[in-house]
Amino acid sequence: MRRLAFLVMSMAVGMSIVSAVAAADPLPAWRDGPAKQAIVRFVEEVTQKGGTAFIPPAERIAVFDNDGTLWVEQPMYVQLAFALDRIKELAPAHPEWKDKQPFKAAIEGDLKTVAAGGEHALLELLMATHAGMTTDEFVKTVEDWLSKAKHPRFNRPYTDLVYQPMLELLTYLRANGFKTFIVSGGGIEFMRPWTEKIYGIPPEQVIGSSIKTKYEVRDSKPVIVRLPEIDFIDDKDGKPVGIHKFIGRRPIMAFGNSDGDFQMLEWTTSSPGSRFGLIVHHTDAVREYAYDRESSVGRFDKALEEAKAKDWTVVDMKKDWRRVFPFEK
Amino acid sequence: MRRLAFLVMSMAVGMSIVSAVAAADPLPAWRDGPAKQAIVRFVEEVTQKGGTAFIPPAERIAVFDNDGTLWVEQPMYVQLAFALDRIKELAPAHPEWKDKQPFKAAIEGDLKTVAAGGEHALLELLMATHAGMTTDEFVKTVEDWLSKAKHPRFNRPYTDLVYQPMLELLTYLRANGFKTFIVSGGGIEFMRPWTEKIYGIPPEQVIGSSIKTKYEVRDSKPVIVRLPEIDFIDDKDGKPVGIHKFIGRRPIMAFGNSDGDFQMLEWTTSSPGSRFGLIVHHTDAVREYAYDRESSVGRFDKALEEAKAKDWTVVDMKKDWRRVFPFEK
């Protein structure tokens, strides 16, 4: 009998430790301002059984933009840095690039000329670096690059430059029965190799832009080959289309940081029932970057204009975030 | 103290009830033959912690064809029955169809002429019935039709004509940490409205063929509109492509019933590690249908030929399934 009593008591002590941890602030990197309060209020409302705003777990879909919402997108999209490095690496095998734009400019690090070539130039660089190999080979290239490349300002691997408050938010939502998805304009296969480890988001919950692929059997070994042709652009009005295609139902929470996320937030927050939209405003030039209406990367203009009318929460990074990166003290 | 002791004992009793239930046969509609044994052996191997064949839950992806694998596909694909019924319903608003093939034949129920028109005729019927409305409107049409339509032989709603052994298999796999996906040549939006209720598979785990869509704001209400243009055909070598696009990793189990599933099984079972492929052979003309090499619907020829060499399990419906449908005694 004594042993049983001891067991029961240990269990009770164990339980109260668990409760204490659960009761601790799940969002410590967020200062106690209106943004944090809005998030917590919404989550408590939709998860309260019997409450008027209750939403069953299966419908608790939360979608997150990636670049500028979950990790740094300045001074250029990480995937563009990858493409430029790849061009330099592949250049010896492509002597014709020395005299051909935009390759020449990319090799020389002349970003101004690359940018002057507009979308067409970017597409050429993308196809030269993202197509023509099997999907397994591409994953290996991405993993190798991420293990070596460093951000020019922070001198750290790019996967260190994720936002601590958003990591906490992802964990908090999942603990409350949400399924978290990435819905990014970036390449789906550029993200999938690392999102599970870094964000806890498995590949099947990552939506992004893609190129076409083809199934082939090579020497009796099946492979999927990446083709130099755009399949889907998951940006602006492509985001609701991508959400519908991959998820097949409307999210109840959406998180973004730029005009590219406008339609995703509009689509999410205009359906009936409790809905939540949030935009990260980059206001912190000291700890991260400050940019909005005039930025060529992550322009935030229309969405900032309409956030108030649409009742979206705008995060002021400088004020609302106690910590920006996990490596900060 | 007594109360505590009682509590502990009740818990112990509760636990043994749970164990007893868990120990009961999870696949009672399967006869104890080689197919059932192969399934159970595989699942036990890959879920045994510390075992050499152990696969972590995140990688336990199982993919299922739908038509002929999870529900009846004879005498015609359910989605084709839907399209033909829709043509008849829409005919009064389309007087021009009276003299135009394949619409004339569809209205008259002349399937031979429809079939003689080949793929092009089917595509015309599909676009006329599946495009031009919002996604919400289409879902409603599917739900309305499914609530009324009856299978010509069994005189029951189509959603009754799902295979009991496969329902048990889906539940068994999920109980063992698997994530179950549908990978069907059928229309993704024709399946998503009902797969969660019938199979326990949520919309975000349904992959299928699709048409293009477009995001629009109509009278300040955002909608997604279905366009008369094929986006993706999730059949044959499209299945591995669809799996890669939507899931982003290779499954470890694949279930099909026809040559349309060949590449999906090939892709699944040729990756390194423990892998499992299974094909349902329709051998039971009494309880369901018997067809394979000569059938225009669900032709099963090449896959039957190669199943042995590739070590795929072939289910003999007549021998291996004790019950076919849930409504059987």
Side-chain angles (χ1 to χ4, degrees):
Chain A
M1 205 65 245
R2 265 234 206 112
R3 224 166 52 178
L4 279 180
F6 175 71
L7 245 172
V8 170
M9 285 194 307
S10 321
M11 279 170 64
V13 171
M15 298 292 276
S16 57
I17 291 173
V18 170
S19 319
V21 170
D25 181 359
L27 302 171
W30 293 74
R31 287 207 187 88
D32 192 26
K36 177 176 183 170
Q37 286 161 14
I39 293 168
V40 172
R41 193 167 51 237
F42 180 85
V43 170
E44 287 178 352
E45 271 174 22
V46 300
T47 55
Q48 202 204 329
K49 269 194 184 154
T52 52
F54 180 76
I55 294 176
E59 292 166 31
R60 292 182 204 153
I61 304 284
V63 288
F64 290 80
D65 169 57
N66 184 40
D67 297 307
T69 300
L70 297 179
W71 76 347
V72 166
E73 65 180 350
Q74 296 285 3
M76 69 172 93
Y77 293 125
V78 181
Q79 194 176 356
L80 180 57
F82 165 75
L84 294 173
D85 280 359
R86 286 297 294 157
I87 291 284
K88 285 178 203 159
E89 262 190 76
L90 296 168
H94 292 271
E96 75 280 10
W97 285 354
K98 268 191 303 192
D99 310 302
K100 197 180 163 193
Q101 293 299 9
F103 302 98
K104 183 171 180 289
I107 294 166
E108 293 165 355
D110 172 8
L111 290 180
K112 229 169 153 178
T113 303
V114 170
E119 261 186 36
H120 180 74
L122 282 176
L123 205 62
E124 277 203 87
L125 295 179
L126 220 69
M127 290 308 170
T129 52
H130 286 65
M133 68 291 280
T134 70
T135 51
D136 284 348
E137 286 161 358
F138 184 70
V139 166
K140 206 185 161 309
T141 312
V142 171
E143 287 175 341
D144 284 353
W145 182 79
L146 279 174
S147 73
K148 290 180 212 140
K150 298 245 165 110
H151 186 279
R153 172 174 155 195
F154 295 100
N155 197 33
R156 284 178 171 272
Y158 286 99
T159 45
D160 279 8
L161 300 174
V162 295
Y163 304 131
Q164 176 64 24
M166 299 307 277
L167 295 180
E168 292 170 4
L169 183 54
L170 287 166
T171 304
Y172 172 60
L173 291 178
R174 288 192 293 256
N176 280 283
F178 281 78
K179 208 163 177 179
T180 52
F181 286 81
I182 288 175
V183 179
S184 167
I188 193 166
E189 299 210 43
F190 183 72
M191 298 181 282
R192 280 176 165 170
W194 53 272
T195 55
E196 187 153 33
K197 196 174 143 212
I198 303 293
Y199 302 137
I201 297 180
E204 64 270 25
Q205 286 161 226
V206 176
I207 303 169
S209 297
S210 56
I211 60 178
K212 298 208 176 202
T213 63
K214 180 175 74 164
Y215 182 72
E216 247 182 57
V217 179
R218 288 183 177 173
D219 303 328
S220 62
K221 192 177 168 268
V223 292
I224 292 178
V225 182
R226 293 170 59 76
L227 306 175
E229 191 185 341
I230 294 284
D231 179 40
F232 178 60
I233 301 289
D234 189 48
D235 198 28
K236 300 194 173 72
D237 51 10
K239 289 206 174 190
V241 168
I243 288 169
H244 184 75
K245 184 200 290 251
F246 283 78
I247 308 180
R249 54 180 151 200
R250 284 169 87 161
I252 66 165
M253 299 186 94
F255 302 86
N257 80 298
S258 78
D259 285 357
D261 304 313
F262 181 85
Q263 289 87 346
M264 172 170 86
L265 268 81
E266 182 180 60
W267 175 241
T268 299
T269 60
S270 63
S271 64
S274 297
R275 300 294 180 261
F276 188 87
L278 180 147
I279 304 197
V280 175
H281 191 183
H282 292 262
T283 52
D284 196 332
V286 176
R287 293 185 299 174
E288 203 243 7
Y289 293 92
Y291 59 99
D292 45 41
R293 294 178 200 277
E294 305 300 322
S295 180
S296 63
V297 174
R299 184 189 308 269
F300 179 35
D301 183 8
K302 184 184 175 194
L304 182 56
E305 206 66 56
E306 294 211 29
K308 208 181 165 105
K310 297 200 181 282
D311 202 20
W312 295 339
T313 296
V314 177
V315 166
D316 181 330
M317 187 181 270
K318 196 171 171 180
K319 280 195 205 146
D320 287 320
W321 287 2
R322 188 171 281 134
R323 266 166 86 191
V324 174
F325 299 116
F327 56 78
E328 286 169 23
K329 295 277 148 38
Chain B
M1 204 67 243
R2 267 235 203 109
R3 224 166 54 180
L4 279 180
F6 176 70
L7 245 172
V8 170
M9 285 192 309
S10 322
M11 279 170 64
V13 171
M15 297 291 278
S16 57
I17 291 174
V18 170
S19 317
V21 170
D25 183 359
L27 302 171
W30 293 75
R31 286 207 186 90
D32 192 26
K36 178 176 181 168
Q37 285 161 14
I39 293 167
V40 173
R41 192 167 52 236
F42 180 84
V43 170
E44 287 178 353
E45 270 173 22
V46 300
T47 55
Q48 203 203 329
K49 268 193 187 158
T52 52
F54 180 76
I55 294 176
E59 292 166 31
R60 291 181 205 155
I61 303 285
V63 288
F64 290 80
D65 169 56
N66 184 40
D67 297 308
T69 299
L70 296 179
W71 77 348
V72 166
E73 65 180 351
Q74 296 285 2
M76 71 173 90
Y77 293 124
V78 181
Q79 194 176 356
L80 180 57
F82 165 75
L84 293 174
D85 280 359
R86 286 297 294 156
I87 291 284
K88 285 179 203 156
E89 264 191 74
L90 295 169
H94 292 273
E96 75 279 11
W97 285 354
K98 268 191 303 193
D99 309 301
K100 197 181 162 192
Q101 294 297 10
F103 301 98
K104 183 171 180 290
I107 294 166
E108 292 165 354
D110 172 8
L111 289 181
K112 227 170 156 178
T113 303
V114 169
E119 260 186 39
H120 180 73
L122 282 176
L123 204 61
E124 277 203 89
L125 295 180
L126 219 70
M127 289 308 168
T129 52
H130 286 64
M133 69 290 280
T134 69
T135 51
D136 284 349
E137 287 160 358
F138 184 70
V139 166
K140 207 185 159 309
T141 311
V142 171
E143 287 174 341
D144 285 353
W145 182 79
L146 280 174
S147 73
K148 289 180 214 141
K150 299 245 166 108
H151 187 278
R153 171 174 157 195
F154 295 100
N155 196 33
R156 285 178 170 272
Y158 287 99
T159 45
D160 279 8
L161 301 174
V162 294
Y163 305 131
Q164 176 65 22
M166 299 307 275
L167 295 180
E168 292 171 4
L169 183 53
L170 287 166
T171 304
Y172 173 60
L173 292 179
R174 288 191 293 256
N176 279 284
F178 281 78
K179 208 163 176 177
T180 52
F181 285 81
I182 289 174
V183 179
S184 168
I188 192 166
E189 298 210 44
F190 183 72
M191 298 182 282
R192 280 176 165 168
W194 53 271
T195 54
E196 186 153 33
K197 197 175 143 210
I198 303 292
Y199 302 136
I201 298 180
E204 64 268 25
Q205 285 160 227
V206 177
I207 303 169
S209 297
S210 57
I211 58 178
K212 298 209 177 200
T213 64
K214 179 176 75 163
Y215 181 71
E216 247 183 54
V217 179
R218 289 183 177 172
D219 302 329
S220 62
K221 191 176 170 270
V223 292
I224 292 178
V225 182
R226 294 170 60 77
L227 305 176
E229 191 185 342
I230 294 284
D231 180 38
F232 178 61
I233 301 288
D234 189 47
D235 196 29
K236 301 193 172 71
D237 52 10
K239 289 206 175 192
V241 168
I243 287 169
H244 184 75
K245 185 201 289 252
F246 281 79
I247 308 179
R249 53 180 151 199
R250 284 169 88 160
I252 66 164
M253 297 185 96
F255 302 86
N257 78 299
S258 78
D259 284 357
D261 304 312
F262 181 83
Q263 289 87 346
M264 173 169 84
L265 268 82
E266 181 179 62
W267 175 241
T268 299
T269 59
S270 63
S271 64
S274 296
R275 300 293 181 263
F276 189 87
L278 181 147
I279 305 199
V280 176
H281 191 184
H282 292 261
T283 51
D284 196 332
V286 176
R287 293 185 299 173
E288 204 244 8
Y289 294 92
Y291 59 99
D292 44 41
R293 293 177 200 277
E294 305 300 323
S295 179
S296 64
V297 174
R299 183 190 308 269
F300 178 36
D301 183 9
K302 184 184 175 193
L304 183 56
E305 204 66 55
E306 294 211 28
K308 208 180 166 107
K310 296 201 181 281
D311 203 20
W312 296 338
T313 296
V314 178
V315 167
D316 181 330
M317 187 182 270
K318 195 171 172 178
K319 279 196 205 147
D320 288 320
W321 287 1
R322 187 171 283 136
R323 266 166 87 191
V324 173
F325 298 116
F327 55 80
E328 288 168 22
K329 296 273 149 43

